[in-house]
Amino acid sequence: MISNNHMKKWLLFFLIAMLAVIPFLDQKISLFVAASEESAEEIQEMETLEEKMDAILDDELLDGAVTGVSIREADTGDMLYSNNGNTRLHPASNMKLLTGAAAMETLGNDYQFSTEVLTDGQLRGIVLHGNVYLKGKGDPTLLKEDLDQFAKDLKDQGIHTIKGNVIADDSWYDDVRLSEDLNWSDEPFHTGAQVSALTLSPDEDYDAGTVIVEVSPDADAEQAEVQVTPETDYVTIVNNTEMVADTEDKDISIEREHGSNTIIVDGEMPAGGSDSRSWASVWEPTGYALDVFKKSLEENGVRFVGNPELKTAVTPENATVVTSKKSMPIEELFIPFMKLSNNGHGEVLTKEMGKVVHGEGSWEKGLEVMEDTVAEFSVDTDTIMLRDGSGMSHKNMIPANDLSQMLYAIQDKDWFPAFEYSLPVAGEDERFVGGTLRDRMTQGPAQGNLMAKTGSLTGVSTLSGYVTAADGERLVFAVMINNHLDDSVEEIEDAIGNALAGHAFGE
């Protein structure tokens, strides 16, 4: 066993050694940065686009990975550069480009979702004798304030008391809540929220089927304070936090147990720390929306005779619409969908296409519509595999050349300006402008110029979209990196973006 004196000597020796090494480390870091900058300058000085792309892709970060790159003239669709362009690769969230294009083409950029409140009863005085139905038709933007407005509408029409049940109708889509390839590890979080025709979002990011869990320090208590937005009894919070006498933030874990609506909150919260906030998905979001709707009714003075049963059923054909609400047009929904890479929106749009075209709100029918639609944009459907609308599946596959072909072909559509506007813009720090690219390419010719969809899964990184070169030539590009082990491969995508933006084609 090492004595305390020996331990102190070793610690002193270690500190002295570190003080001697730090200046050397600073020098090495400076040299590395200088070398990186020099390399970027050298690449920009290369004459041909092929030389530049080959030099960027000659990076040890890509050792063992498969990288597909496809670059076209936006005006003609002519191929300017291709590396593994016909190799099928996983697109991650670049899948949303296909979903978005198919939805715009199939549904129209002015398409709106709707939600209805109906009754099969009769109003006698101020008492409604019968059931109230909350019927969802896929709207992922439904908020607590919308349910409050429904409650006010009922009361304004003379319904002060309900003698009956409050029933949720989610039959617009099928009852399959999760796409078949979604990992269990994603399912408790907003990235893997369940899909229902009747659902609720906690805020204007519109992560449907989720609640916001906020953990705040409480210096007068043994545990941190936990709040859920919107307030609902549908989830149960298990608060395992511990307040500690510290000022530095600690890690707080917020995770829902699989198969239930029990959300476990763990970790130490310092008295001087800041709030911790996270989105947790709910199990069976139909019941969640129904629970919050009942609260809205009660909060707005609509009473019940006895204890109404909350259940799910199909609305009778003879039911009367009491009030309803339409969502924003999907061209507006595309801002959070594309900018923030909202997975739930991709899946809802998929099911909605199936419902509108084939009368069945399922992944199977929706993906069938998507495949038929992208075929119209000259995508070779014999070489692609579509498994979901968000890109969460590791079984989605498409070659970079087909993806760039689709991006070229859709430019003459009347809905294209809205589609392009929804894409993240490189280096723009406004959240609903830069989106998932707001912290990337913040310097260089791609900043404020390149508009593209990002994609990220374990071992997958993608970036595809549009950029204008230095001489005004507009380009379409698709970059798909698969089987990588280092997340810094994004730097390669950014280098490609800046190289394209800085390139001059000449005569």
Side-chain angles (χ1 to χ4, degrees):
M1 183 176 292
I2 300 174
S3 68
N4 287 336
N5 286 336
H6 278 88
M7 181 64 74
K8 289 177 181 178
K9 288 179 181 179
W10 276 109
L11 286 172
L12 181 61
F13 174 78
F14 176 75
L15 289 171
I16 292 172
M18 286 302 295
L19 288 172
V21 168
I22 285 172
F24 175 73
L25 289 175
D26 285 343
Q27 183 181 10
K28 292 290 285 183
I29 291 170
S30 298
L31 287 172
F32 174 77
V33 172
S36 299
E37 291 175 352
E38 183 180 0
S39 176
E41 291 174 0
E42 289 175 351
I43 289 172
Q44 286 291 12
E45 290 173 1
M46 294 176 181
E47 290 189 7
T48 69
L49 182 64
E50 184 176 4
E51 288 176 325
K52 291 179 180 181
M53 294 300 105
D54 287 347
I56 292 170
L57 295 177
D58 185 21
D59 193 303
E60 63 182 11
L61 287 174
L62 299 179
D63 289 350
V66 181
T67 303
V69 179
S70 180
I71 303 166
R72 298 176 185 268
E73 287 185 0
D75 289 342
T76 65
D78 290 347
M79 188 75 70
L80 298 173
Y81 179 85
S82 178
N83 178 82
N84 292 325
N86 291 321
T87 300
R88 286 183 291 273
L89 296 171
H90 305 306
S93 280
N94 274 201
M95 184 68 193
K96 294 182 176 74
L97 294 168
L98 282 76
T99 307
M104 284 284 196
E105 180 71 3
T106 303
L107 304 174
N109 59 320
D110 58 352
Y111 187 82
Q112 294 173 282
F113 298 90
S114 63
T115 308
E116 298 171 343
V117 179
L118 307 95
T119 182
D120 60 1
Q122 293 184 347
L123 184 61
R124 300 172 189 165
I126 61 171
V127 180
L128 177 67
H129 293 259
N131 299 319
V132 172
Y133 297 84
L134 180 63
K135 183 172 183 176
K137 294 184 176 180
D139 186 1
T141 71
L142 198 68
L143 300 169
K144 169 66 163 67
E145 63 193 52
D146 297 318
L147 300 182
D148 289 340
Q149 186 60 52
F150 286 161
K152 292 173 184 175
D153 292 345
L154 262 66
K155 196 168 184 183
D156 288 345
Q157 294 185 41
I159 301 173
H160 292 229
T161 303
I162 297 173
K163 188 177 182 180
N165 297 317
V166 183
I167 297 172
D169 183 351
D170 60 9
S171 60
W172 188 252
Y173 298 156
D174 65 9
D175 60 1
V176 180
R177 300 300 188 214
L178 297 169
S179 56
E180 58 184 331
D181 300 325
L182 189 80
N183 293 328
W184 271 31
S185 57
D186 295 309
E187 182 266 323
F189 307 106
H190 72 281
T191 52
Q194 297 186 13
V195 177
S196 170
L198 177 60
T199 189
L200 192 66
S201 292
D203 67 1
E204 292 184 352
D205 281 4
Y206 302 119
D207 288 301
T210 72
V211 293
I212 298 173
V213 181
E214 190 161 9
V215 186
S216 306
D218 187 345
D220 299 324
E222 294 182 357
Q223 294 179 314
E225 180 182 353
V226 181
Q227 290 186 318
V228 176
T229 303
E231 291 185 13
T232 176
D233 297 326
Y234 198 67
V235 300
T236 300
I237 299 294
V238 177
N239 187 350
N240 292 333
T241 62
E242 180 184 356
M243 291 298 302
V244 294
D246 201 345
T247 57
E248 295 185 7
D249 289 336
K250 307 289 184 182
D251 288 332
I252 296 291
S253 169
I254 301 170
E255 185 168 344
R256 179 178 56 77
E257 289 183 340
H258 178 76
S260 77
N261 277 312
T262 299
I263 299 174
I264 310 296
V265 184
D266 280 314
E268 295 181 338
M269 171 62 75
S274 56
D275 292 355
S276 180
R277 200 166 185 245
S278 184
W279 281 251
S281 67
V282 298
W283 189 266
E284 288 293 343
T286 299
Y288 160 47
L290 186 61
D291 177 78
V292 177
F293 179 50
K294 180 174 179 288
K295 285 186 178 299
S296 291
L297 290 168
E298 293 170 337
E299 290 166 359
N300 285 277
V302 177
R303 300 187 303 109
F304 295 92
V305 176
N307 294 317
E309 184 180 357
L310 301 182
K311 61 182 183 178
T312 302
V314 177
T315 305
E317 290 186 5
N318 64 347
T320 303
V321 176
V322 180
T323 184
S324 64
K325 180 246 178 186
K326 286 190 175 295
S327 73
M328 63 185 70
I330 64 169
E331 68 177 5
E332 294 179 28
L333 178 67
F334 264 49
I335 300 300
F337 171 41
M338 291 292 202
K339 300 283 190 186
L340 306 183
S341 201
N342 190 304
N343 290 333
H345 295 172
E347 308 304 358
V348 166
L349 289 168
T350 301
K351 287 200 172 190
E352 191 69 8
M353 285 187 279
K355 182 68 175 181
V356 169
V357 176
H358 296 297
E360 179 180 308
S362 66
W363 269 289
E364 180 183 1
K365 292 301 182 182
L367 292 173
E368 186 178 315
V369 175
M370 284 173 57
E371 185 169 320
D372 290 343
T373 305
V374 298
E376 298 173 9
F377 305 137
S378 299
V379 172
D380 182 1
T381 55
D382 290 335
T383 193
I384 66 174
M385 180 177 289
L386 308 182
R387 300 281 290 192
D388 65 15
S390 67
M392 287 291 281
S393 172
H394 279 270
K395 295 180 181 179
N396 290 316
M397 289 188 290
I398 184 171
N401 284 347
D402 283 270
L403 186 52
S404 69
Q405 164 59 33
M406 188 202 76
L407 292 173
Y408 158 71
I410 64 175
Q411 292 178 104
D412 63 355
K413 294 293 180 179
D414 58 3
W415 46 260
F416 178 74
F419 179 91
E420 183 184 36
Y421 183 72
S422 73
L423 298 175
V425 182
E428 295 292 325
D429 59 6
E430 168 57 41
R431 190 162 174 264
F432 284 104
V433 178
T436 54
L437 281 178
R438 59 189 179 277
D439 296 324
R440 294 174 58 180
M441 291 171 274
T442 56
Q443 296 180 349
Q447 194 272 334
N449 171 2
L450 180 144
M451 304 179 73
K453 184 70 196 74
T454 58
S456 180
L457 287 173
T458 302
V460 178
S461 185
T462 55
L463 184 71
S464 303
Y466 307 90
V467 65
T468 301
D471 59 357
E473 180 78 45
R474 183 172 161 85
L475 306 173
V476 177
F477 68 93
V479 182
M480 306 174 70
I481 304 173
N482 279 202
N483 304 324
H484 70 81
L485 297 176
D486 191 330
D487 288 340
S488 56
V489 295
E490 287 184 353
E491 298 171 5
I492 294 171
E493 296 166 357
D494 295 353
I496 290 174
N498 274 317
L500 293 177
H503 186 70
F505 288 89
E507 296 295 331

